[in-house]
Amino acid sequence: MCGGCRRRQCGPDGTPDGGRRGCGTVIAVLALAAAAAVAFLESAAGGISYAGDGWLHECAKWDAEGGRFLASTFFGGGVAEVRAGEGEAEERVVVADPVAAGRVALGLAVDAPRRRLLLVYADRPPRLGYAALGAYDLGSWRRLFLTRLDVPGESTFPDDVAADEEGNAYVTDAKGSKIWKVGPDGALLGVIKNATFVQRPGLRHNLVGLNGIVYHPNGYLLVVHTSGGDFFKVDPKTETVRVVKVRGSLRRGDGLELLSPTRLVVAGLPNRSTGSGRRLR
Ligand SMILES: *[C@@H]1O[C@H](CO)[C@@H](O)[C@H](O)[C@H]1NC(C)=O
């Protein structure tokens, strides 16, 4: 139970929830994610291999201070750490939050200045509706907040998250192609919606909409639309959205990572013109 917290926001005590609604789109999302994982494994020469529970880890981020990778354990509904040292790397589950039991864990982001992890939760397939953002202390793994993002009757598929330097979190909705904004204390501050996010109408071009997202140190968000292959620059203050022209295709682009302020990696399924990893300048 979650006593005394606002309706859509909960503290460490947790929240009652009510998963609902079903839809087929999530199957496509899953198929895409699974295929992406396979593509990654096949081309992972020089990467880190390890044995772990479950066959699908949706997202992985490097925690520099902790010297480890943190990976979401999709069906485990939590997070595992992977330390690469001598010999074979090992996976250790660090987050398995009872409040999110039965959900799946998707995108995550390390909010390094606050030493905390942001984690996106969604409904377990084939349901499609529940959307939440959790925050956990990177040392003790104590839950700092769990905020519900969906509203009743809305079909959503929350996917990835990025944090700005003030600790605001931006969560993409791959179903509705919008971005939830959550404040540093877990309050849902608003939703960034813009017709520009949908460059081509129709389900075929919007099966998986806004997906990977990163915050650029110059004060803007970069976000990829998976089915359309479109790439956007979003000013979180003014909420204006601009299409970024990219040479080559970003179709099936999934996760994003900034290597430096001028170099970006786009992970995802290969398309006709590229492999599963694409690098942008
Ligand atoms: C959407 O973004 C455009 C800029 O591309 C801006 O002019 C417009 O006001 C935005 N719409 C909304 C609803 O914020």
Side-chain angles (χ1 to χ4, degrees), residues 169-230:
Y170 302 90
V171 181
T172 51
D173 178 9
K175 180 79 171 48
S177 284
K178 62 179 184 290
I179 300 170
W180 289 281
K181 181 176 179 181
V182 177
D185 58 351
L188 177 57
L189 299 180
V191 182
I192 303 175
K193 286 181 185 164
N194 198 304
T196 306
F197 285 140
V198 179
Q199 290 290 298
R200 276 165 292 270
L203 186 61
R204 188 162 72 89
H205 300 293
N206 294 279
L207 211 50
V208 184
L210 294 191
N211 191 339
I213 187 167
V214 286
Y215 180 77
H216 191 281
N218 286 359
Y220 54 86
L221 299 160
L222 293 170
V223 56
V224 66
H225 185 296
T226 297
S227 294
D230 306 298

Side-chain angles (χ1 to χ4, degrees), residues 160 162 172 179 211-217 219-224 231-236 242 244 256 258 261 263-264 280:
D160 200 8
T172 51
I179 300 170
N211 191 339
I213 187 167
V214 286
Y215 180 77
H216 191 281
Y220 54 86
L221 299 160
L222 293 170
V223 56
V224 66
F231 194 50
F232 303 102
K233 178 176 174 178
V234 182
D235 182 330
R242 288 205 341 232
V244 180
L256 305 182
L258 278 171
R263 290 183 305 149
L264 180 86
L280 301 187

